[in-house]
Amino acid sequence: MIYGTSAYGGGADNGTVFSFTTAGQEQIVYAFEPAPDGVLPKDGVTYYQGRLYGVTYDGGTYPMANTLGGGTAYSVAL
């Protein structure tokens, strides 16, 4: 299984975490929602003990000036 992120896409167009099989089948593992969720995932993901970990560029609970928030760290269960 290969995992990655897209900055846009998903129901709210806030980005996704996705997987690909070696046969080329794609699946959305997680679609980011509006705040307090993250927005614009970046830099891929790290797998550890059945979870994927990563960061987002925007989103989160505490908005910063002229942005959607300061970003988040997230984990997604597989």
Side-chain angles (χ1 to χ4, degrees):
M1 198 69 74
I2 299 169
Y3 298 97
T5 60
S6 65
Y8 299 97
D13 203 29
N14 288 336
T16 66
V17 177
F18 61 86
S19 67
F20 274 107
T21 66
T22 54
Q25 295 173 320
E26 179 186 359
Q27 177 181 348
I28 293 178
V29 177
Y30 185 79
F32 291 90
E33 298 295 328
D37 212 353
V39 177
L40 303 172
K42 59 183 268 179
D43 299 332
V45 290
T46 299
Y47 175 85
Y48 181 70
Q49 295 186 346
R51 296 188 77 83
L52 297 173
Y53 296 87
V55 296
T56 66
Y57 180 76
D58 264 333
T61 304
Y62 303 104
M64 298 173 66
N66 301 318
T67 71
L68 299 173
T72 63
Y74 64 87
S75 72
V76 176
L78 296 177

